[in-house]
Amino acid sequence: MSEEQHKIPKEPGLDHTLELLKEGYHFIVNRANKFDSRVIQTRLLGEKAICLVGKEEAELFYDNSRFFRQEAAPSRVQKTLLGVGGVQGLDGEEHRHRKAMFMAFMTEASLEEVQSLAKKEWKRLLENSNDEIKIYDAAQIVLTRVALRWTGVPFKNDEAEDWASSLSPLFEMASNIGPKHLKSRWSRVQLENKIEGLVKKIRDDSIRVDQTKALYHFSWHKDINGELLDPHVVAVEVLNLLRPIVAISVYVDLTLFAVYEHPEEADYARQSHDNLQHFIQEVRRYYPFFPAAIARVKKDFTWKGYQFKENTMTLLDLYGTNHDPNIWKKPHEFNPSRFKDWEGSPFDFIPQGGGEFDMGHRCAGEWITIDIMRVTLDYFLNDVEYVFPDQKSGFDMNDIPPISGVTIKIRG
Ligand code: HEM
Ligand code: MYR
């Protein structure tokens, strides 16, 4: 018996990229609500785009037999945020093999190391800083130092700020058009050249780096044909560690902003390790960050009566799914204790993508992110004495990524 066919509700018009920039994180949900459908069609960057929101929709999106990733991301996002030739654009066996190169660094020992580096760098920064601290700026320096050390990229003490100011435009300006987009591209070219240079030196043994770390391992990684990766691709993949570790500064800013906005929930977090974890999870659910994951339809198929045509760009709304009232009670309330009862599905709580780590494209750094956020929150709740001075911190729903600018004043 053939399934009843439904037409995917379609927004009329030639292109809606400007509305996306205006409506930001609400863009997909606004259309899903208007058409009362979890599957809608619009046009973005001059192309037809299907947008999905919800848990079953996330399960569909992460079905490798239905979607592929090669060239899926818009070219401007590849030239800024992602780079060309990296794991995000691979499929099948090639993807699995490359992803394993990343996941090999997500061991318990490696995660413990990243936590102790984060604690050490926060202490060092606060011991040497003024009373008034803008959390986002401080976190960028701390996390740049953590990222370079954890990946084994050699640097001198006074070089950390330069690294921070070339790594941050990769994610801060990835959603911009105009001059900021160019700055982001320029930063990527500079960084790729610098890291490619290191890879070549490692291979001809003209520098020695820590052989237990990612820079060394990626430089000697062999692809599925047993060949070394192109040095440029190694640089892209090393940046796939450095950039997002520095991007955790956005979540650190939002974590302290949550402490500022919800002091009673900060008291809840102080009570135990589990409560700290619930607070962090709620920060990742409640606040927006990565707007949508992107793939393309592998071959024509029909799902719940909706027709998906080969090669159509498809977006999964991460923020929308994390606020889906079919999944979350009172989704627009900040309530860390909801995570006491969360059953842990790979498809309902997806701030860093959904599905599986090894076979799918779920974020390789999700555990690092959570661990760094938790030790940072623990430090600020239990070890540092500070107040929030009068301030106008906050962000708009079309600031991608959102940075509140929250500031603290250390009590001496
Ligand atoms: C992929 C978000 C931190 C490494 C992703 C994806 C998202 C995401 C949404 C794509 C999922 C998909 O396409 O289905 C974030 C956010 C972070 C973060 C919001 C917070 C700062 C990290 C960290 C690392 C990392 C710390 C590494 C240390 C990666 C890699 C991929 C990825 C390598 C590609 C995975 C693949 O294509 O198989 N991330 N991420 N991310 N992330 Fe993260
Ligand atoms: C990372 O660096 O991978 C972690 C998070 C970065 C978020 C950057 C947000 C801007 C994304 C713009 C385009 C996304 C594709 C729809």
Side-chain angles (χ1 to χ4, degrees), residues 77 81 171 174-175 243-244 247 289-292 294 400-401:
V77 176
L81 186 70
F171 60 87
S175 63
R243 180 204 68 249
F289 191 175
F290 206 111
I294 304 188
I400 305 176

PDB file of all heavy atoms in Angstrom, residues 77 81 171 174-175 243-244 247 289-292 294 400-401, ligand 2:
ATOM      1  N   VAL A  77      30.823  29.072   4.066  1.00  0.00           N
ATOM      2  CA  VAL A  77      31.056  28.469   5.384  1.00  0.00           C
ATOM      3  C   VAL A  77      32.325  27.605   5.344  1.00  0.00           C
ATOM      4  O   VAL A  77      33.094  27.545   6.301  1.00  0.00           O
ATOM      5  CB  VAL A  77      29.821  27.649   5.842  1.00  0.00           C
ATOM      6  CG1 VAL A  77      30.091  26.937   7.161  1.00  0.00           C
ATOM      7  CG2 VAL A  77      28.593  28.543   5.982  1.00  0.00           C
ATOM      8  N   LEU A  81      34.554  28.952   8.464  1.00  0.00           N
ATOM      9  CA  LEU A  81      34.443  28.072   9.633  1.00  0.00           C
ATOM     10  C   LEU A  81      35.159  26.732   9.441  1.00  0.00           C
ATOM     11  O   LEU A  81      35.967  26.329  10.292  1.00  0.00           O
ATOM     12  CB  LEU A  81      32.959  27.831   9.924  1.00  0.00           C
ATOM     13  CG  LEU A  81      32.618  27.059  11.196  1.00  0.00           C
ATOM     14  CD1 LEU A  81      32.922  27.908  12.422  1.00  0.00           C
ATOM     15  CD2 LEU A  81      31.157  26.634  11.204  1.00  0.00           C
ATOM     16  N   PHE A 171      35.135  31.494  13.709  1.00  0.00           N
ATOM     17  CA  PHE A 171      33.755  31.164  14.110  1.00  0.00           C
ATOM     18  C   PHE A 171      32.924  32.407  14.404  1.00  0.00           C
ATOM     19  O   PHE A 171      31.729  32.425  14.167  1.00  0.00           O
ATOM     20  CB  PHE A 171      33.739  30.192  15.309  1.00  0.00           C
ATOM     21  CG  PHE A 171      34.406  30.721  16.552  1.00  0.00           C
ATOM     22  CD1 PHE A 171      33.709  31.479  17.476  1.00  0.00           C
ATOM     23  CD2 PHE A 171      35.748  30.462  16.796  1.00  0.00           C
ATOM     24  CE1 PHE A 171      34.335  31.966  18.622  1.00  0.00           C
ATOM     25  CE2 PHE A 171      36.375  30.937  17.941  1.00  0.00           C
ATOM     26  CZ  PHE A 171      35.664  31.703  18.852  1.00  0.00           C
ATOM     27  N   ALA A 174      31.820  33.716  10.840  1.00  0.00           N
ATOM     28  CA  ALA A 174      31.429  32.746   9.810  1.00  0.00           C
ATOM     29  C   ALA A 174      30.054  33.042   9.234  1.00  0.00           C
ATOM     30  O   ALA A 174      29.763  32.705   8.094  1.00  0.00           O
ATOM     31  CB  ALA A 174      31.461  31.332  10.369  1.00  0.00           C
ATOM     32  N   SER A 175      29.180  33.676  10.034  1.00  0.00           N
ATOM     33  CA  SER A 175      27.831  33.911   9.526  1.00  0.00           C
ATOM     34  C   SER A 175      27.681  35.304   8.907  1.00  0.00           C
ATOM     35  O   SER A 175      26.597  35.702   8.542  1.00  0.00           O
ATOM     36  CB  SER A 175      26.821  33.732  10.668  1.00  0.00           C
ATOM     37  OG  SER A 175      27.070  34.698  11.665  1.00  0.00           O
ATOM     38  N   ARG A 243      40.169  25.559  16.524  1.00  0.00           N
ATOM     39  CA  ARG A 243      39.055  26.537  16.412  1.00  0.00           C
ATOM     40  C   ARG A 243      37.921  26.247  17.383  1.00  0.00           C
ATOM     41  O   ARG A 243      37.553  27.120  18.171  1.00  0.00           O
ATOM     42  CB  ARG A 243      38.530  26.549  14.964  1.00  0.00           C
ATOM     43  CG  ARG A 243      37.383  27.505  14.744  1.00  0.00           C
ATOM     44  CD  ARG A 243      36.519  27.104  13.551  1.00  0.00           C
ATOM     45  NE  ARG A 243      35.773  25.888  13.775  1.00  0.00           N
ATOM     46  CZ  ARG A 243      35.975  24.733  13.172  1.00  0.00           C
ATOM     47  NH1 ARG A 243      36.901  24.592  12.256  1.00  0.00           N
ATOM     48  NH2 ARG A 243      35.235  23.666  13.479  1.00  0.00           N
ATOM     49  N   PRO A 244      37.381  25.019  17.378  1.00  0.00           N
ATOM     50  CA  PRO A 244      36.240  24.821  18.277  1.00  0.00           C
ATOM     51  C   PRO A 244      36.606  24.853  19.759  1.00  0.00           C
ATOM     52  O   PRO A 244      35.760  25.199  20.583  1.00  0.00           O
ATOM     53  CB  PRO A 244      35.672  23.466  17.862  1.00  0.00           C
ATOM     54  CG  PRO A 244      36.707  22.799  17.050  1.00  0.00           C
ATOM     55  CD  PRO A 244      37.575  23.859  16.475  1.00  0.00           C
ATOM     56  N   ALA A 247      36.287  28.234  20.471  1.00  0.00           N
ATOM     57  CA  ALA A 247      34.858  28.612  20.403  1.00  0.00           C
ATOM     58  C   ALA A 247      34.099  28.264  21.685  1.00  0.00           C
ATOM     59  O   ALA A 247      33.015  28.808  21.931  1.00  0.00           O
ATOM     60  CB  ALA A 247      34.192  27.937  19.199  1.00  0.00           C
ATOM     61  N   PHE A 289      23.560  28.401  19.762  1.00  0.00           N
ATOM     62  CA  PHE A 289      24.965  28.532  19.364  1.00  0.00           C
ATOM     63  C   PHE A 289      25.108  28.118  17.901  1.00  0.00           C
ATOM     64  O   PHE A 289      25.002  28.953  16.998  1.00  0.00           O
ATOM     65  CB  PHE A 289      25.872  27.720  20.299  1.00  0.00           C
ATOM     66  CG  PHE A 289      27.355  28.005  20.126  1.00  0.00           C
ATOM     67  CD1 PHE A 289      28.292  27.416  20.979  1.00  0.00           C
ATOM     68  CD2 PHE A 289      27.826  28.849  19.138  1.00  0.00           C
ATOM     69  CE1 PHE A 289      29.657  27.669  20.830  1.00  0.00           C
ATOM     70  CE2 PHE A 289      29.181  29.104  18.984  1.00  0.00           C
ATOM     71  CZ  PHE A 289      30.083  28.509  19.830  1.00  0.00           C
ATOM     72  N   PHE A 290      25.298  26.848  17.639  1.00  0.00           N
ATOM     73  CA  PHE A 290      25.421  26.396  16.250  1.00  0.00           C
ATOM     74  C   PHE A 290      23.999  26.289  15.695  1.00  0.00           C
ATOM     75  O   PHE A 290      23.193  25.533  16.216  1.00  0.00           O
ATOM     76  CB  PHE A 290      26.111  25.028  16.221  1.00  0.00           C
ATOM     77  CG  PHE A 290      26.836  24.738  14.956  1.00  0.00           C
ATOM     78  CD1 PHE A 290      28.222  24.682  14.927  1.00  0.00           C
ATOM     79  CD2 PHE A 290      26.142  24.527  13.759  1.00  0.00           C
ATOM     80  CE1 PHE A 290      28.910  24.419  13.752  1.00  0.00           C
ATOM     81  CE2 PHE A 290      26.825  24.269  12.579  1.00  0.00           C
ATOM     82  CZ  PHE A 290      28.216  24.205  12.574  1.00  0.00           C
ATOM     83  N   PRO A 291      23.670  27.082  14.659  1.00  0.00           N
ATOM     84  CA  PRO A 291      22.248  27.153  14.277  1.00  0.00           C
ATOM     85  C   PRO A 291      21.670  25.863  13.688  1.00  0.00           C
ATOM     86  O   PRO A 291      20.603  25.431  14.094  1.00  0.00           O
ATOM     87  CB  PRO A 291      22.207  28.295  13.251  1.00  0.00           C
ATOM     88  CG  PRO A 291      23.619  28.645  12.926  1.00  0.00           C
ATOM     89  CD  PRO A 291      24.528  27.997  13.921  1.00  0.00           C
ATOM     90  N   ALA A 292      22.390  25.276  12.700  1.00  0.00           N
ATOM     91  CA  ALA A 292      21.791  24.129  12.007  1.00  0.00           C
ATOM     92  C   ALA A 292      22.877  23.241  11.427  1.00  0.00           C
ATOM     93  O   ALA A 292      23.927  23.739  11.007  1.00  0.00           O
ATOM     94  CB  ALA A 292      20.894  24.622  10.874  1.00  0.00           C
ATOM     95  N   ILE A 294      23.959  20.714   8.299  1.00  0.00           N
ATOM     96  CA  ILE A 294      23.584  20.729   6.875  1.00  0.00           C
ATOM     97  C   ILE A 294      24.017  19.445   6.162  1.00  0.00           C
ATOM     98  O   ILE A 294      25.150  18.998   6.320  1.00  0.00           O
ATOM     99  CB  ILE A 294      24.261  21.894   6.120  1.00  0.00           C
ATOM    100  CG1 ILE A 294      23.929  23.222   6.783  1.00  0.00           C
ATOM    101  CG2 ILE A 294      23.837  21.915   4.660  1.00  0.00           C
ATOM    102  CD1 ILE A 294      24.400  24.417   5.979  1.00  0.00           C
ATOM    103  N   ILE A 400      24.812  35.629  15.640  1.00  0.00           N
ATOM    104  CA  ILE A 400      25.299  34.256  15.423  1.00  0.00           C
ATOM    105  C   ILE A 400      26.827  34.289  15.318  1.00  0.00           C
ATOM    106  O   ILE A 400      27.328  34.801  14.338  1.00  0.00           O
ATOM    107  CB  ILE A 400      24.706  33.638  14.132  1.00  0.00           C
ATOM    108  CG1 ILE A 400      23.165  33.709  14.175  1.00  0.00           C
ATOM    109  CG2 ILE A 400      25.180  32.210  13.945  1.00  0.00           C
ATOM    110  CD1 ILE A 400      22.490  33.200  12.907  1.00  0.00           C
ATOM    111  N   PRO A 401      27.602  33.794  16.266  1.00  0.00           N
ATOM    112  CA  PRO A 401      27.159  33.217  17.533  1.00  0.00           C
ATOM    113  C   PRO A 401      26.790  34.306  18.548  1.00  0.00           C
ATOM    114  O   PRO A 401      27.203  35.446  18.394  1.00  0.00           O
ATOM    115  CB  PRO A 401      28.392  32.447  17.998  1.00  0.00           C
ATOM    116  CG  PRO A 401      29.546  33.207  17.447  1.00  0.00           C
ATOM    117  CD  PRO A 401      29.083  33.752  16.141  1.00  0.00           C
TER     118      PRO A 401
HETATM  119  C1  MYR B   2      33.073  25.240  15.835  1.00  0.00           C
HETATM  120  O1  MYR B   2      33.992  26.072  15.730  1.00  0.00           O
HETATM  121  O2  MYR B   2      32.969  24.255  15.077  1.00  0.00           O
HETATM  122  C2  MYR B   2      32.135  25.375  16.995  1.00  0.00           C
HETATM  123  C3  MYR B   2      31.023  26.307  16.941  1.00  0.00           C
HETATM  124  C4  MYR B   2      31.031  27.430  15.963  1.00  0.00           C
HETATM  125  C5  MYR B   2      29.675  28.063  15.766  1.00  0.00           C
HETATM  126  C6  MYR B   2      29.707  29.105  14.725  1.00  0.00           C
HETATM  127  C7  MYR B   2      28.390  29.658  14.369  1.00  0.00           C
HETATM  128  C8  MYR B   2      28.341  30.187  12.963  1.00  0.00           C
HETATM  129  C9  MYR B   2      27.858  29.185  11.986  1.00  0.00           C
HETATM  130  C10 MYR B   2      27.480  29.716  10.655  1.00  0.00           C
HETATM  131  C11 MYR B   2      26.988  28.743   9.665  1.00  0.00           C
HETATM  132  C12 MYR B   2      26.396  27.448  10.149  1.00  0.00           C
HETATM  133  C13 MYR B   2      25.736  26.624   9.073  1.00  0.00           C
HETATM  134  C14 MYR B   2      24.252  26.767   9.008  1.00  0.00           C
END
